[in-house]
Amino acid sequence: MPRRWWTLVAVGLATFMTYLDNNVTNVALPTIQRDLHLSIASLEWVVSSYILMFASLLLAGGRLADVYGRRRMFLTGLLVFTVSSLAAGLASSGGVLIGFRVLQGIGAALVVPSTLAIISATFTDSRERTRAVGAWAAVGALALAAGPLIGGFISQHLHWGWIFFINVPVGVVTLFIALFAMDESRDPGAAGRLDLPGLAASAIALFSLTYALIEGHDRGWTSPVILGAFALAAVAAVVFGRIESRASHPMVAMSLFRSWVFSGGVATTMLWAFGIFGIYFFTSLYMQGVLGLSPTKAGLAFVPMALAMAVFAAIGGPIAARLGTHRTVAFGLVLVAAGVYLVSLLGRTASFADLMPGFLLIGIGSGLNVPLTDALLRTMPTERSGIASALFNASREVAGLLGITIIGAVLRAQQSISLHQGASPTTAYLHGYQAGLLVTVALVAAGAVVSFVTLRRIPQQPAPALQPVPAAPSPAQAPGAADGDGVRDLVMLASGGDDTGR
């Protein structure tokens, strides 16, 4: 097999590992809490510490990859992630576990922006690059399927540390493949210039925003700390824009956002992630807390959705080449909205089979969203693909947090109303969950309109033949990231607790 395809295997394994880690943790939270005797606040940070560092440093990681080399940053991040995964699995206290989760987030922030940039630099032929991006998306979709299933199995039958230990052999194999197959690439115009003020401003803005979204419900949305975090994020974002517009070597060319294709593509990605990540998380709670499924069965329910996503991610590029990216992505988002609506019609007595029509539509539609990734990469020069990949992933990550936060707020508001009307805690949660699903339908439908209008100007490439693609990674950023109240809901519902007092 040519070296470039081995490079794709390495990129795919790394993406699988980072996505799996984010997705596999939530189902095991009750087990971790019992074993380490953690408070709810500490348990929240087992999830939040990873996502906080990951989201905050994505732009910095992308620019470091462009300046110092994508292969170098990929290997460095992978080594940090693998070693910290081993240490997290061996942790004997909550503080140690949270510390190594922070290191995992730093490692992932170096790895993830490099993945799409390496694909863009390695596959210069447009047809091969389309296949490679589809493969990248397919493997990530498989990680979405494997995460809840593996997490549920481990939490029931093995020590929780294995949710981190499984990263170690995958990381070692990936390191060896990358060392021998991956070529170095970077932005030749960067000449070692890092734009440190821009890096600092972007990290502060993303850190402050992510922190406010994670902590907002527990501390109160109008508390001085949360309002200060939002204000700091806004100021840092404005400063970042000013720095980038004046810098001789900016990390992000602000002129990119004048392009309808680029701005519309990022907006589409955010609307999809905003809706779907929150629902993915709260659906796990619904299946365990309302339908009474075990963690393993709840994880198994996501497998058909993710397999459908993987299949259509793999063939989405050729479909888009024939029908147009704007039609393909918009139709995919319509399918996602329809699938979420079908799930919203289910109640307390839904069976495993009742979930499948909606889940399959969500999976197929999300897979058809993958051509958007290739389209956005084609709007960027190859030498800036690291920061382009970082922008793409950062926007999706922040939108996912927004989705969990806002949809969670809708859920809790309706849940509170139902509780005051005399509904049981389980019924009240169901009413709130259904209200959150309807908000998601509206957001994803809006994404369909945005994509159809803004992506029409993407130049079409020659249509590649529909054929199987080699194995490699994902579209959806691990939806396991939870806001503080979401983690609490997970613990309460999965353990059968009563949330009436909340």
Side-chain angles (χ1 to χ4, degrees):
M1 186 167 67
R3 287 180 63 205
R4 63 184 181 278
W5 294 111
W6 280 112
T7 296
L8 181 60
V9 170
V11 166
L13 288 173
T15 305
F16 184 91
M17 187 167 59
T18 53
Y19 285 15
L20 182 72
D21 186 80
N22 204 19
N23 203 24
V24 76
T25 308
N26 282 333
V27 185
L29 286 175
T31 306
I32 295 174
Q33 183 187 33
R34 288 192 299 269
D35 192 36
L36 297 184
H37 309 291
L38 299 181
S39 65
I40 290 294
S42 296
L43 192 66
E44 291 167 4
W45 280 102
V46 171
V47 173
S48 301
S49 56
Y50 175 87
I51 202 65
L52 184 63
M53 297 307 298
F54 177 63
S56 302
L57 298 177
L58 270 171
L59 287 183
R63 190 54 181 157
L64 287 170
D66 281 341
V67 173
Y68 292 116
R70 287 78 183 249
R71 179 179 182 270
R72 179 179 295 175
M73 289 301 105
F74 179 87
L75 293 173
T76 301
L78 190 60
L79 182 62
V80 170
F81 187 89
T82 302
V83 173
S84 57
S85 294
L86 176 62
L90 296 171
S92 57
S93 70
V96 172
L97 176 58
I98 291 169
F100 285 112
R101 288 286 284 165
V102 167
L103 286 178
Q104 279 188 305
I106 294 172
L110 294 176
V111 170
V112 171
S114 302
T115 55
L116 280 174
I118 289 168
I119 289 175
S120 183
T122 302
F123 295 90
T124 54
D125 178 80
S126 62
R127 294 189 179 192
E128 286 195 343
R129 186 179 61 240
T130 298
R131 294 175 62 199
V133 170
W136 172 87
V139 169
L142 291 176
L144 296 183
L149 184 60
I150 293 174
F153 180 84
I154 289 173
S155 65
Q156 280 190 259
H157 303 292
L158 299 172
H159 184 265
W160 59 264
W162 281 98
I163 66 177
F164 302 113
F165 292 151
I166 56 178
N167 293 329
V168 178
V170 178
V172 171
V173 170
T174 305
L175 278 168
F176 275 105
I177 295 175
L179 281 169
F180 292 104
M182 189 177 290
D183 293 326
E184 187 59 278
S185 63
R186 55 171 56 87
D187 178 359
R193 298 181 180 89
L194 259 186
D195 181 22
L196 291 177
L199 284 172
S202 69
I204 291 171
L206 288 171
F207 183 94
S208 302
L209 177 59
T210 305
Y211 176 83
L213 292 173
I214 290 172
E215 290 289 292
H217 184 268
D218 288 341
R219 292 180 178 268
W221 294 107
T222 58
S223 69
V225 172
I226 298 304
L227 290 178
F230 277 125
L232 180 59
V235 170
V238 171
V239 171
F240 176 73
R242 295 290 295 274
I243 291 171
E244 298 307 290
S245 64
R246 297 180 178 183
S248 55
H249 296 277
M251 60 183 289
V252 177
M254 303 308 290
S255 59
L256 280 174
F257 293 97
R258 297 176 193 151
S259 164
W260 269 51
V261 171
F262 186 81
S263 296
V266 170
T268 299
T269 298
M270 293 185 72
L271 285 167
W272 174 82
F274 190 105
I276 214 66
F277 285 8
I279 291 309
Y280 197 103
F281 176 75
F282 290 112
T283 297
S284 295
L285 304 182
Y286 163 69
M287 288 191 293
Q288 294 182 64
V290 177
L291 300 185
L293 299 181
S294 68
T296 302
K297 288 183 178 179
L300 188 63
F302 285 111
V303 172
M305 178 198 296
L307 291 178
M309 191 186 302
V311 170
F312 280 85
I315 65 175
I319 292 173
R322 285 170 168 76
L323 303 180
T325 301
H326 64 297
R327 294 188 184 93
T328 304
V329 173
F331 180 65
L333 292 175
V334 168
L335 291 181
V336 172
V340 174
Y341 180 73
L342 287 180
V343 176
S344 75
L345 301 178
L346 303 177
R348 298 185 60 172
T349 59
S351 67
F352 198 90
D354 293 332
L355 295 166
M356 289 305 105
F359 277 19
L360 287 174
L361 285 178
I362 294 170
I364 293 169
S366 296
L368 292 176
N369 194 39
V370 170
L372 176 60
T373 305
D374 184 51
L376 289 182
L377 283 180
R378 281 190 277 131
T379 67
M380 290 289 289
T382 301
E383 63 270 14
R384 304 304 300 275
S385 55
I387 194 63
S389 174
L391 278 168
F392 179 77
N393 283 288
S395 63
R396 187 170 55 192
E397 196 68 32
V398 171
L401 277 172
L402 280 168
I404 291 172
T405 301
I406 294 177
I407 293 171
V410 171
L411 185 155
R412 287 187 292 271
Q414 182 59 51
Q415 182 183 37
S416 178
I417 292 172
S418 296
L419 285 171
H420 280 95
Q421 292 175 346
S424 68
T426 300
T427 300
Y429 179 85
L430 177 61
H431 291 165
Y433 169 69
Q434 291 170 331
L437 288 173
L438 294 179
V439 172
T440 301
V441 171
L443 290 169
V444 176
V449 175
V450 171
S451 63
F452 188 82
V453 172
T454 60
L455 302 182
R456 297 169 67 91
R457 304 181 186 185
I458 295 177
Q460 295 306 308
Q461 57 185 313
L466 282 168
Q467 53 185 313
V469 295
S474 144
Q477 179 61 354
D483 68 303
D485 196 63
V487 177
R488 183 182 293 104
D489 283 336
L490 177 59
V491 176
M492 295 294 295
L493 285 168
S495 60
D498 192 329
D499 60 354
T500 309
R502 287 185 23 228

